[in-house]
Amino acid sequence: MQTKIMLPEDRIPKQWYNIIPDMPGQLAPVIHPGTMQPVGPDDLLPLFPMGLIEQEVSSQRWIDIPDEVRDILSLWRPSPMFRAHRLEKTLGTPAKIYYKYEGVSPAGSHKPNTAVPQAYYNKIAGTKRIASETGAGQWGSSIALACQMFGLECMIYMVKVSFSQKPYRKSMMQLWGADVVPSPSNLTNAGRAVLTADPNSNGSLGIAISEAVEDAATREDTRYALGSVLNHVCLHQTVIGLEAKEQMAIAGDYPDVVIGCHGGGSNFAGIAFPFIADKANGKNIRILAAEPISCPTLTKAVYEFDYGDTAKMAPISRMYTLGHDFMPPGIHAGGLRYHGAAPLVSQLLHEGVIEARAVGQVGCFEAAVQFSRAEGIIPAPESSHAIRAAIDEALQAKEEEQEKTILFNLSGHGHVDMAAYDAFFSGQLEDYEYPSEAIEKSLAHLPKVG
Ligand SMILES: Cc1ncc(COP(=O)(O)O)c(C=O)c1O
């Protein structure tokens, strides 16, 4: 009974899988927030290097991973896959549970899988400095690491509530050489406008994105990097699913259901997209995204055009959105608090290719603790949403006396999130369902796209 399913270093994928040519239906255009016309590559050049812009719109199914990127990925890739024998036993389920573990990267999550290529394409385009935002700090620490590896300066706008709640994430970014400021800051027009309206604002991912975009758009030496949502970010994460398919083959198995937690959509895309290709070719497989009930982008929102940020500076995309001025409650899974969802994931949900489920944070922490006690690894609070969904699938299989193979992506470890576990153990966490009225209010401000 094998527990760890490992691949040798030369099995790090040599190409990323681009789902765009296999999408059901046409992609909606991305709209410029100033002109309200579809954006062209030149509109994006102040923000992104051409190498990434080309990937954003590419219709090539396979895209080569540069050797310089594979060299750095080899520090932690291929990541291990585990068969959760001990969890299966605890649950008493006939289901087989596998998980792919992305917590082995230096930053402790899947985020460096895209931070490294983003820094690389910026480096070869002559960018000197990258500006970005971070919520819980996973993305900020990943882009700081990648900038360090390619000798780029890095400026991070960190959502204020996390800046104070997660001091060690800030220390990690500083260790890897980044400058970090709490957002809203007084360094940008977007930040100053928020502070004028509410000097005690806790910030949000939407506000921090506005600050980083403004920073990049107003400096010649700086470009912007986003840790999720965009097509090229989902593309870079497909190394997860491509490796997972090989590992499942080594285990002599194939999943009936593939599960990922969903914030902006990138780790979900990473594990899911390569399996969706099989589904399109006739495989009978379910693909499930798990999100928090406090930020129910996929399960309670609308599929409409919306801005990617609060200050309406980022491009407008068609996606599931809670509205760009959605103010998330301060739940601990900070990385799952974005108002929108990746346009590719949104379209797949809209077309019925994938499913989504919202789960409460108390049940997620219960699942994370049960998982830790069986398997040892302490999951990131974000990843615990996938664990909750996987355990629920396994318990359903038990009830129905059904054999089922479950694969989920354990997107990160929770070593820097122990304050959230403390809050759970001392009974301070409660489930908070984002009110429908608040969503409706926010949706009244969606842009009008012809
Ligand atoms: C460990 C972990 N998992 C998941 C996410 C959610 O992001 P995404 O949906 O882009 O994968 C985050 C975001 O920061 C994260 O840190």
Side-chain angles (χ1 to χ4, degrees):
M1 289 224 301
Q2 202 175 354
T3 298
K4 277 198 307 302
I5 303 138
M6 310 294 280
L7 290 173
E9 223 162 271
D10 63 1
R11 299 309 302 160
I12 297 171
K14 293 192 170 64
Q15 295 180 312
W16 290 296
Y17 167 60
N18 179 20
I19 199 170
I20 291 177
D22 296 331
M23 285 295 282
Q26 276 229 293
L27 295 193
V30 174
I31 306 294
H32 191 288
T35 63
M36 297 306 265
Q37 295 300 314
V39 295
D42 288 351
D43 296 318
L44 296 173
L45 263 180
L47 296 182
F48 302 106
M50 195 43 98
L52 294 175
I53 296 172
E54 281 167 5
Q55 292 180 354
E56 191 62 20
V57 294
S58 173
S59 52
Q60 229 178 293
R61 186 169 288 117
W62 294 99
I63 296 178
D64 289 344
I65 305 180
D67 287 343
E68 294 87 335
V69 171
R70 286 181 84 245
D71 275 354
I72 296 180
L73 294 185
S74 72
L75 291 171
W76 67 92
R77 304 212 73 83
S79 68
M81 175 182 278
F82 293 83
R83 169 88 186 268
H85 291 294
R86 297 172 59 86
L87 179 65
E88 290 168 15
K89 211 161 155 198
T90 308
L91 299 172
T93 176
K96 290 186 266 184
I97 306 175
Y98 293 87
Y99 58 97
K100 179 80 168 151
Y101 183 42
E102 291 297 311
V104 291
S105 80
S109 76
H110 64 296
K111 297 280 177 182
N113 297 334
T114 181
V116 171
Q118 289 196 48
Y120 167 78
Y121 287 107
N122 271 289
K123 179 71 181 182
I124 61 170
T127 308
K128 299 277 179 279
R129 179 175 172 272
I130 285 183
S132 195
E133 71 292 320
T134 195
Q138 284 273 18
W139 167 244
S141 45
S142 303
I143 190 70
L145 165 79
C147 284
Q148 181 57 230
M149 298 216 152
F150 286 105
L152 299 170
E153 289 175 48
C154 183
M155 174 71 185
I156 303 291
Y157 296 86
M158 184 172 189
V159 177
K160 199 199 279 172
V161 61
S162 304
F163 190 85
S164 39
Q165 270 176 8
K166 305 219 168 180
Y168 296 126
R169 278 279 162 202
K170 178 178 57 192
S171 310
M172 287 168 76
M173 291 180 240
Q174 287 165 340
L175 185 156
W176 283 316
D179 288 325
V180 192
V181 291
S183 165
S185 77
N186 56 17
L187 300 179
T188 63
N189 287 332
R192 284 187 290 270
V194 174
L195 288 173
T196 305
D198 176 8
N200 297 319
S201 167
N202 267 335
S204 72
L205 216 43
I207 296 168
I209 293 175
S210 301
E211 291 210 87
V213 167
E214 181 181 329
D215 180 318
T218 51
R219 279 183 63 150
E220 200 50 47
D221 63 347
T222 302
R223 282 202 173 90
Y224 171 67
L226 186 66
S228 190
V229 179
L230 299 177
N231 299 350
H232 67 265
V233 182
C234 294
L235 172 80
H236 299 156
Q237 293 295 353
T238 58
V239 291
I240 303 172
L242 293 169
E243 288 175 6
K245 278 173 79 167
E246 280 205 41
Q247 287 160 309
M248 291 297 307
I250 291 172
D253 237 329
Y254 192 85
D256 296 301
V257 55
V258 174
I259 301 170
C261 68
H262 188 280
S266 73
N267 90 93
F268 171 76
I271 188 94
F273 284 4
F275 286 97
I276 290 176
D278 289 356
K279 188 174 167 120
N281 290 325
K283 271 272 186 200
N284 183 14
I285 177 173
R286 287 171 53 224
I287 316 272
L288 174 62
E291 67 175 5
I293 56 170
S294 57
C295 185
T297 317
L298 297 176
T299 50
K300 258 196 181 174
V302 291
Y303 185 50
E304 290 289 356
F305 282 93
D306 197 9
Y307 299 97
D309 69 328
T310 307
K312 308 183 199 175
M313 293 167 62
I316 297 169
S317 306
R318 188 161 188 215
M319 58 184 176
Y320 279 95
T321 176
L322 292 161
H324 55 273
D325 44 14
F326 162 76
M327 254 304 170
I331 65 155
H332 280 284
L336 304 183
R337 281 187 289 187
Y338 183 58
H339 68 272
L344 290 173
V345 173
S346 296
Q347 191 179 339
L348 289 164
L349 180 66
H350 188 67
E351 299 285 347
V353 177
I354 63 166
E355 308 162 35
R357 183 182 299 167
V359 286
Q361 68 169 345
V362 174
C364 288
F365 274 96
E366 283 165 1
V369 170
Q370 190 170 37
F371 175 84
S372 270
R373 290 181 178 169
E375 297 290 317
I377 296 172
I378 301 172
E382 290 85 0
S383 318
S384 72
H385 293 67
I387 301 177
R388 176 74 270 162
I391 289 180
D392 288 347
E393 289 284 330
L395 291 176
Q396 190 190 355
K398 179 179 175 179
E399 208 174 290
E400 294 169 358
E401 295 177 7
Q402 183 198 51
E403 285 203 2
K404 192 193 289 187
T405 302
I406 300 165
L407 167 65
F408 74 90
N409 192 27
L410 186 57
S411 53
H413 69 63
H415 298 177
V416 197
D417 301 286
M418 294 315 293
Y421 281 91
D422 283 350
F424 171 66
F425 285 124
S426 58
Q428 289 169 45
L429 294 190
E430 49 189 61
D431 285 334
Y432 173 85
E433 199 164 343
Y434 199 69
S436 302
E437 311 81 71
I439 298 174
E440 265 161 46
K441 212 164 134 195
S442 206
L443 292 181
H445 303 147
L446 294 185
K448 304 264 175 296
V449 174

